Amino acid sequence: MGQLRIVRELRLKNLEFFLITDGYAGPKICHMLFLDYRRPSTLEDFPFLIGIEDEDTFGRANFMKVIIISDADLDEHLKEELEIIASGFLENKPECHWVMEYEIASIDPKHVGLGENILPSIKPILSKHNFFLEYDDIPQQYFNYLSQDIH
């Protein structure tokens, strides 16, 4: 594996979606999905900490989730690299808890195209993680802007 390339494909107020490839024109490795729940974190967000952390004192002002979507299991070295990338986006948020999870699902970059099919492609994953958007489609012209939020 060469150097990782990160391409932002979608940016909304509470969601960002990136394609991770092996080098500039290399094959897709995975997608990285950031979800900002805009609510305090709870111990239920971290089931692996139940019984370890104190329920009364656990939590921060905001909770985010990073979901790595790949066609197959990723090796441990690559998972470490992806965690370093995600932490680069989130580590400077002092009152934010975040967790990283992995999903095996196929999202064909050619099907996603220039953005028009991103939301339909990731909607099942969003639902599974109890993350719902106010709209199901983004007009193509919004992909000419830095943010694709519909106002």
Side-chain angles (χ1 to χ4, degrees):
M1 179 176 62
Q3 191 172 15
L4 297 179
R5 180 173 184 235
I6 304 166
V7 178
R8 182 168 53 207
E9 294 186 321
L10 178 64
R11 179 176 184 240
L12 303 175
K13 179 180 177 184
N14 299 325
L15 178 153
E16 288 197 47
F17 185 68
F18 296 88
L19 170 66
I20 310 291
T21 62
D22 187 2
Y24 181 75
K28 175 187 94 165
I29 295 173
C30 63
H31 281 92
M32 182 179 281
L33 176 63
F34 287 81
L35 303 176
D36 186 345
Y37 285 82
R38 292 189 176 254
R39 63 161 174 78
S41 62
T42 67
L43 201 49
E44 288 77 33
D45 296 321
F46 301 86
F48 51 90
L49 294 177
I50 294 175
I52 299 171
E53 291 287 333
D54 180 13
E55 202 168 321
D56 296 330
T57 59
F58 186 85
R60 292 195 180 158
N62 193 29
F63 174 64
M64 292 189 201
K65 190 178 281 192
V66 180
I67 303 168
I68 303 300
I69 307 162
S70 60
D71 296 335
D73 283 327
L74 304 174
D75 69 45
E76 289 306 311
H77 175 71
L78 182 54
K79 286 181 177 181
E80 288 173 11
E81 290 292 318
L82 294 169
E83 189 163 336
I84 289 168
I85 291 169
S87 70
F89 283 97
L90 302 175
E91 68 188 12
N92 64 344
K93 299 180 182 335
E95 270 304 307
C96 176
H97 267 151
W98 63 279
V99 67
M100 192 160 168
E101 296 184 11
Y102 297 86
E103 292 278 334
I104 297 197
S106 184
I107 298 176
D108 184 352
K110 292 180 184 110
H111 173 71
V112 170
L114 296 174
E116 64 271 12
N117 295 314
I118 292 174
L119 288 182
S121 295
I122 64 172
K123 192 172 184 176
I125 293 168
L126 297 177
S127 264
K128 178 179 177 184
H129 291 273
N130 296 316
F131 194 89
F132 303 98
L133 296 172
E134 297 174 14
Y135 40 85
D136 293 326
D137 195 14
I138 299 171
Q140 184 60 42
Q141 69 267 22
Y142 281 61
F143 287 91
N144 292 323
Y145 309 125
L146 191 57
S147 170
Q148 289 75 51
D149 277 308
I150 298 173
H151 301 289

